[in-house]
Amino acid sequence: PEVGKPAPLFTGTDSNGKTWSLADLKGKVVVLETTNHDCPYVRKHYSSNNMQEQQREAAAKGVVWLTLASNAAGEQGAVTPAQANELTRSRGAAPAAVLIDPQSKIARAYGATVTPHMYIVDAKGTLVYKGGIDSIPSSSAADVPKAKQYVRVALDEVLAGKPVSEASTRAYGCTIKYPRTST
């Protein structure tokens, strides 16, 4: 999907069995975060509390933060709903929901390639940001304070009614393990 165009609509089920639909969230700003708890790049942002802080800041501003568990069953990073809930609890994470996407339908619709790959959809349903969470593509938590926090900056701009100054950045992380398709 292109930044500045309508975000791909999706419907997904979260780790508690609730259905979430982007169409139902119209009027709200939505953040999508792809995740893989075994990925060192994802661990960087959770071990430093960067991801959790941004989730809480976003929620406090009325933003709906959805974490996508989009790795295929049996692959690294795949989780059951119970595992997703335990990871959320143990890491002190605060997304509105963890969507379980084992067929990678949502991730594919957005062209997600790595974890974490980040997207912001504005209240009108337009994709306004896609890319990395920050500017330093490393797995070291020590780099978090030195990095430009792309998602935090973009969210502040969106919520202030401004265009996103860096609407597309380089995503970095571990490759999403998509399900194999039969040919």
Side-chain angles (χ1 to χ4, degrees):
E2 285 182 54
V3 168
K5 303 276 187 203
L9 294 177
F10 65 82
T11 300
T13 303
D14 74 14
S15 56
N16 296 308
K18 180 181 174 186
T19 299
W20 292 77
S21 163
L22 187 61
D24 292 344
L25 296 172
K26 194 158 182 134
K28 296 198 175 282
V29 175
V30 177
V31 173
L32 299 175
E33 162 213 351
T34 62
T35 195
N36 168 353
H37 63 283
D38 288 328
C39 172
Y41 299 95
V42 170
R43 280 199 298 261
K44 162 190 174 177
H45 293 287
Y46 279 97
S47 68
S48 67
N49 280 316
N50 184 44
M51 195 71 78
Q52 300 94 315
E53 286 172 14
Q54 291 196 45
Q55 291 167 342
R56 282 186 177 78
E57 287 169 14
K61 296 172 182 173
V63 173
V64 177
W65 189 295
L66 300 175
T67 300
L68 300 175
S70 294
N71 285 309
E75 297 286 351
Q76 179 200 50
V79 292
T80 64
Q83 289 168 321
N85 286 339
E86 175 54 24
L87 281 164
T88 299
R89 188 200 60 72
S90 67
R91 298 189 296 193
V98 178
L99 301 185
I100 308 298
D101 185 30
Q103 297 303 313
S104 310
K105 289 178 182 167
I106 300 168
R108 282 186 208 269
Y110 279 78
T113 56
V114 296
T115 57
H117 207 145
M118 308 294 297
Y119 301 88
I120 301 173
V121 179
D122 73 9
K124 296 177 191 146
T126 302
L127 183 65
V128 293
Y129 177 81
K130 67 177 180 179
I133 187 169
D134 72 10
S135 64
I136 301 179
S138 79
S139 59
S140 172
D143 287 333
V144 171
K146 300 180 268 186
K148 180 173 185 179
Q149 297 297 320
Y150 291 137
V151 171
R152 182 178 276 135
V153 170
L155 265 180
D156 286 345
E157 290 170 338
V158 169
L159 294 170
K162 299 177 182 171
V164 176
S165 54
E166 292 183 78
S168 185
T169 65
R170 179 177 163 238
Y172 67 89
C174 300
T175 305
I176 293 178
K177 286 39 170 199
Y178 283 121
R180 290 171 181 68
T181 55
S182 54
T183 53

